[in-house]
């Protein structure tokens, strides 16, 4: 081999150095400090018109839960909920803090929960649902 050629130690070091320089020139790295300083906050959203306290009033009101639904109180804002879809019962709560502390053994009963009565219609009291009506107002009227 010829000294200084591509096959020699010096040649390999020179080729590696050239590749590193070309890579640095064509693909600069990411500035991690700049990436972290980006503001990723979400815009403020108005509070939900339905509170967890409202939902607790609903789950405690047998006439509002629908046919085939059985609710048994287990503790403060904690219930056993049986439906035709869950005949063996599911332990649920309407207290987000309790749920956070016990999420391994209880489910949060709220819109989006698999047993939440979404899309079943309003049932009794449809005439109370007028524009501007709130769940709290309807509950105050129906449940007291």
């Amino acid at each position: 081999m010829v000294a200084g050629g591509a096959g020699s130690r010096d040649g390999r070091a020179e080729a590696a150095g050239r590749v590193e320089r070309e890579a640095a020139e064509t693909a600069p790295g990411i500035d991690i400090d700049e990436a972290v300083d980006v503001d990723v906050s979400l815009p403020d959203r108005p509070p939900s018109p339905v509170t967890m306290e409202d939902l607790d009033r609903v789950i405690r009101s047998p006439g509002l839960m629908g046919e085939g639904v059985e609710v048994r109180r287990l503790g403060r804002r904690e219930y056993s909920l049986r439906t035709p879809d869950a005949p063996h019962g599911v332990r649920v709560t309407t207290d987000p803090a309790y749920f956070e502390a016990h999420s391994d053994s209880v489910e949060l009963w709220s819109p989006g929960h698999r047993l939440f009565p979404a899309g079943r219609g309003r049932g009794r009291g449809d005439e109370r649902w007028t524009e501007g009506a709130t769940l709290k107002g309807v509950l105050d009227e129906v449940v007291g």
Side-chain angles (χ1 to χ4, degrees), residues 76-104:
R76 184 185 167 281
R77 294 178 66 178
E78 181 184 2
Y79 308 90
S80 172
L81 178 61
R82 291 175 44 150
T83 70
D85 296 333
H88 299 291
V90 176
R91 188 172 162 217
V92 298
T93 183
T94 58
D95 183 347
Y98 185 82
F99 168 72
E100 190 172 320
H102 301 91
S103 62
D104 57 332

Side-chain angles (χ1 to χ4, degrees), residues 7-136:
S8 72
R9 182 177 293 156
D10 292 336
R12 285 192 296 265
E14 183 181 323
R18 187 172 51 246
V19 169
E20 287 176 2
R21 283 190 302 278
E22 289 175 6
E25 291 171 7
T26 58
I30 296 173
D31 182 353
I32 196 77
D33 292 326
E34 185 177 309
V36 172
D37 288 340
V38 174
D39 182 19
V40 292
S41 61
L42 297 174
D44 288 336
R45 297 174 71 180
S48 173
V50 178
T51 67
M52 294 306 291
E53 290 77 14
D54 293 334
L55 296 181
D56 193 67
R57 290 176 67 191
V58 169
I59 201 169
R60 288 188 328 236
S61 305
L64 298 178
M65 290 301 292
E67 286 188 42
V69 176
E70 180 184 313
V71 177
R72 187 168 47 96
R73 192 173 192 156
L74 300 175
R76 184 185 167 281
R77 294 178 66 178
E78 181 184 2
Y79 308 90
S80 172
L81 178 61
R82 291 175 44 150
T83 70
D85 296 333
H88 299 291
V90 176
R91 188 172 162 217
V92 298
T93 183
T94 58
D95 183 347
Y98 185 82
F99 168 72
E100 190 172 320
H102 301 91
S103 62
D104 57 332
S105 61
V106 69
E107 298 179 20
L108 185 65
W109 190 74
S110 61
H113 184 273
R114 63 190 170 96
L115 299 180
F116 194 82
R120 291 188 186 161
R122 293 188 179 125
R124 288 186 293 138
D126 280 354
E127 65 280 357
R128 292 182 177 98
W129 290 101
T130 59
E131 190 171 333
T134 64
L135 179 59
K136 181 182 181 322

